[in-house]
Amino acid sequence: MKYAIVSDLHANMEAFNTILSKCYEVGVEKYICLGDIVGYNAEPSACLEKLKSLDVVGIVKGNHDEYASNGDNEMEGFNPHARNAVLWTREQLSEEQLQWLSKLPLRTSIPAINTTIVHATLDSPDSWGYVFDTHHASDNFSYQFTQLCFCGHSHIPIAFCKKPVTMRSDKMIEEVPEWAYLRHEGMVPSNPNEADSMSIDIQPGWKYLINVGSVGQPRNRDPRASFAIYDTEARRIVRYRLPYDIATTQEKIRAAGLPEKLATRLQKGT
Ligand code: ZN
């Protein structure tokens, strides 16, 4: 069975449709969403309805989903652009859609595939913290009782593994190096107009904490839409990076009167 894991769609339909085409092409049957369906970009309602039309077996709430649906006008930690976009988003969604968002859980598990999902961190999901290094990963692993955990929130793909105690390794928790590629400031993708992918083969007895990157607003200096597919038979997780029609997404942001910075950042992947 193939599961697509998508995070931080952020109301970007061009990016969402692009990754869905790949999902149909490779035979994805089930979907997992790590939150932040809305916010930043211009098509929150379409994005939400598209997601609801898929066979979603696990979904959690992101901080943008929370702020859009809970009536909180403070939005602690948000910059003015993000805040403006949340206020605009609220106006675009029906009462039913806002209710649906507000009822999403902060974390959940998918026992069939020994997986937990959360938007931010397992140790304190409503604090909206980030996982950037092995210390953060270690805190998470303390609360991770499944082999796999997928998270989002930072919009930066990163993966950690925790080896079994029987290995007696010096470093029990390590970053999976394949996924660190292109994360650092100043690095640019070799071929930003081409699709590519990278994979992690799941080892028996190891645990994994994996951020799949963002579909709708990547921030790792790679503007391509990022998501992953877990093939449970092959025991392999493949992360895809797909170019999409950024210009159209930008036009929609401008036509909606959303902050210009939200349009320009998409082409830089910041
Ligand atoms: Zn987000």
Side-chain angles (χ1 to χ4, degrees):
M1 178 87 77
K2 286 181 180 165
Y3 294 76
I5 302 111
V6 303
S7 191
D8 298 276
L9 298 163
H10 281 301
N12 184 337
M13 281 307 287
E14 285 69 36
F16 195 8
N17 283 327
T18 297
I19 67 121
L20 284 178
S21 297
K22 174 58 77 177
C23 292
Y24 303 147
E25 181 193 317
V26 303
V28 165
E29 289 175 69
K30 310 269 186 202
Y31 292 82
I32 292 167
C33 176
L34 309 179
D36 274 4
I37 302 152
V38 303
Y40 291 127
N41 300 310
E43 291 188 279
S45 177
C47 206
L48 192 150
E49 294 304 322
K50 186 83 194 180
L51 183 70
K52 283 167 76 176
S53 75
L54 303 171
D55 188 357
V56 178
V57 294
I59 180 166
V60 286
K61 188 194 287 182
N63 50 331
H64 288 253
D65 306 322
E66 169 74 11
Y67 291 146
S69 64
N70 73 358
D72 170 8
N73 289 329
E74 295 296 318
M75 300 179 220
E76 198 184 317
F78 267 29
N79 66 45
H81 303 307
R83 189 171 174 278
N84 285 346
V86 167
L87 295 174
W88 179 88
T89 296
R90 255 182 221 166
E91 301 300 312
Q92 312 305 312
L93 298 175
S94 67
E95 198 49 47
E96 190 191 345
Q97 289 171 322
L98 291 169
Q99 282 282 327
W100 184 84
L101 280 178
S102 76
K103 287 186 181 140
L104 295 175
L106 289 174
R107 67 178 158 196
T108 191
S109 61
I110 306 152
I113 53 169
N114 201 4
T115 294
T116 306
I117 60 172
V118 66
H119 183 66
T121 65
L122 280 181
D123 46 315
S124 176
D126 58 352
S127 302
W128 309 116
Y130 294 97
V131 179
F132 283 129
D133 58 35
T134 50
H135 300 289
H136 300 148
S138 174
D139 292 342
N140 254 269
F141 279 124
S142 305
Y143 292 83
Q144 182 180 327
F145 306 110
T146 52
Q147 184 178 27
L148 303 178
C149 176
F150 293 102
C151 65
H153 191 39
S154 66
H155 300 204
I156 291 175
I158 191 166
F160 300 91
C161 60
K162 184 178 183 186
K163 297 169 197 168
V165 280
T166 48
M167 283 184 71
R168 298 176 195 278
S169 165
D170 289 346
K171 291 184 187 161
M172 298 298 292
I173 295 171
E174 281 186 340
E175 189 176 343
V176 179
E178 296 91 318
W179 285 37
Y181 182 58
L182 289 179
R183 181 156 52 84
H184 303 289
E185 188 147 337
M187 296 176 81
V188 289
S190 51
N191 264 318
N193 298 318
E194 280 179 25
D196 64 10
S197 67
M198 57 202 70
S199 58
I200 297 176
D201 289 314
I202 302 300
Q203 309 294 328
W206 294 35
K207 280 186 175 180
Y208 295 86
L209 169 64
I210 296 173
N211 186 318
V212 298
S214 169
V215 173
Q217 193 199 72
R219 292 183 194 156
N220 53 325
R221 309 247 159 200
D222 182 343
R224 293 174 290 180
S226 173
F227 80 110
I229 294 175
Y230 177 29
D231 181 337
T232 55
E233 268 98 70
R235 307 284 296 151
R236 174 173 288 174
I237 298 169
V238 179
R239 182 164 76 84
Y240 292 88
R241 301 182 298 193
L242 308 179
Y244 70 94
D245 183 1
I246 292 175
T248 297
T249 304
Q250 291 175 316
E251 276 170 32
K252 289 176 181 174
I253 289 168
R254 290 174 183 130
L258 286 162
E260 172 64 18
K261 186 171 187 291
L262 296 179
T264 50
R265 68 186 300 177
L266 290 178
Q267 75 208 52
K268 293 187 252 172
T270 57

